[in-house]
Amino acid sequence: MKKLSARRRHPLAAVVVLLLALAATGGLYAAFAPAGKAQADSSAQSLAIDEGKKLFAVGCSSCHGLNGQGTSDGPSLVGVGSAAVDFQVGTGRMPAQQPGAQVPSKKNVYSQAEIDQLAAYVASLGPGPVAPTTEQYEPSSNEVTNAEQVAKGGELFRTNCAQCHNFAGKGGALTNGKYAPSLEGVDAKHIYEAMQTGPQNMPSFPDTTMPEEQKREIVAFVRHTNDEPNQGGLALGSLGPVTEGLFGWIFGLGTLIVIAIWVAAHTTKAKKS
């Protein structure tokens, strides 16, 4: 019986058993490892939403409602997305000190981690624009590519933005006490998010209207304009012909009057009298 049993055992039987064991182990890993990671990510997201809801109840619900549905003092936040929250809270516009025609930017009162939690909660209320990654809004570090982005961004800015923000991004007045804010010193991410979400009086530029690369080009132009020194001398606020003409009338005409008085005072007739 022992001899018969030995003859029935194939030499490759041990190899087959080993391969089956490895396959079973790999199958178990493939089956359970991704699920475990997804579960961990889901738990982290749920925790962020819960923490964000607590922050929202304290700092935002008095105007926007306990569930973000909006009130007479603030609009609904359903569907605004995480990008809108990151922009409004990150620039200090929200929470607003008081309602008005235009909510100005100020020093923010939340840390970036708290802003992310608020954004996670508001994003859970309904789908909307997602806060961008660094790769989406950061201009190229390559000098040649960056120069191309600045040139193209300048064309886009003059076509879509200069009417309100001024050709140099210095801002300008609108109607009924509203204004387009200056873009000087504004973070690149917040410029990108403003184009995504269209805060307050600004129109929104979704990817279907203005692709991601074009937004990045506008960011490159604004950053270049802010960083480059003014080569023209006195900028006069970079507001164009209005301030330049006013400057010319007041100081130019005033200088001519002073010169005329001096000349008249030094004529022969004036000296005799």
Side-chain angles (χ1 to χ4, degrees):
M1 292 296 292
K2 290 183 179 180
K3 290 181 179 181
L4 182 60
S5 176
R7 288 174 185 175
R8 289 179 179 175
R9 190 175 300 155
H10 196 277
L12 296 178
V15 176
V16 172
V17 171
L18 180 60
L19 289 175
L20 289 173
L22 289 174
T25 304
L28 288 173
Y29 176 81
F32 291 105
K37 185 177 183 300
Q39 186 176 4
D41 292 342
S42 178
S43 299
Q45 183 69 7
S46 298
L47 179 61
I49 292 172
D50 290 341
E51 293 299 319
K53 187 174 184 179
K54 296 175 184 176
L55 293 169
F56 186 91
V58 174
C60 315
S61 62
S62 59
C63 292
H64 296 286
L66 282 173
N67 299 309
Q69 75 276 12
T71 68
S72 58
D73 295 323
S76 169
L77 299 182
V78 178
V80 302
S82 58
V85 178
D86 192 80
F87 172 82
Q88 296 286 359
V89 182
T91 59
R93 288 177 167 84
M94 292 293 155
Q97 292 178 332
Q98 61 183 19
Q102 184 91 15
V103 180
S105 61
K106 61 183 184 301
K107 185 177 180 180
N108 60 20
V109 297
Y110 292 101
S111 67
Q112 187 58 52
E114 291 173 329
I115 294 173
D116 292 341
Q117 291 169 348
L118 277 169
Y121 170 67
V122 172
S124 71
L125 302 178
V130 179
T133 62
T134 304
E135 291 74 18
Q136 288 178 278
Y137 61 79
E138 193 67 29
S140 174
S141 58
N142 181 278
E143 187 173 345
V144 175
T145 305
N146 183 261
E148 294 176 354
Q149 288 180 330
V150 170
K152 293 178 181 178
E155 296 177 5
L156 291 166
F157 187 90
R158 289 186 288 273
T159 302
N160 298 283
C161 316
Q163 297 92 330
C164 296
H165 289 283
N166 170 278
F167 67 95
K170 300 297 183 181
L174 301 175
T175 58
N176 300 320
K178 303 171 185 177
Y179 62 90
S182 170
L183 301 179
E184 188 173 3
V186 179
D187 189 84
K189 179 176 67 168
H190 294 148
I191 296 174
Y192 191 100
E193 289 171 339
M195 289 186 279
Q196 278 184 297
T197 61
Q200 298 183 132
N201 306 293
M202 180 174 169
S204 62
F205 297 91
D207 290 346
T208 53
T209 302
M210 180 180 288
E212 181 180 304
E213 179 57 30
Q214 291 185 349
K215 293 190 186 74
R216 192 184 301 114
E217 289 167 351
I218 290 178
V219 170
F221 170 75
V222 173
R223 175 176 288 181
H224 174 80
T225 303
N226 290 336
D227 293 344
E228 283 294 302
N230 177 34
Q231 304 294 343
L234 189 60
L236 298 175
S238 298
L239 297 177
V242 175
T243 53
E244 293 167 0
L246 184 63
F247 181 87
W249 273 102
I250 293 176
F251 291 94
L253 188 60
T255 301
L256 291 176
I257 293 173
V258 170
I259 292 174
I261 294 172
W262 183 87
V263 171
H266 289 76
T267 59
T268 304
K269 185 177 180 181
K271 289 180 179 178
K272 288 181 179 180
S273 60

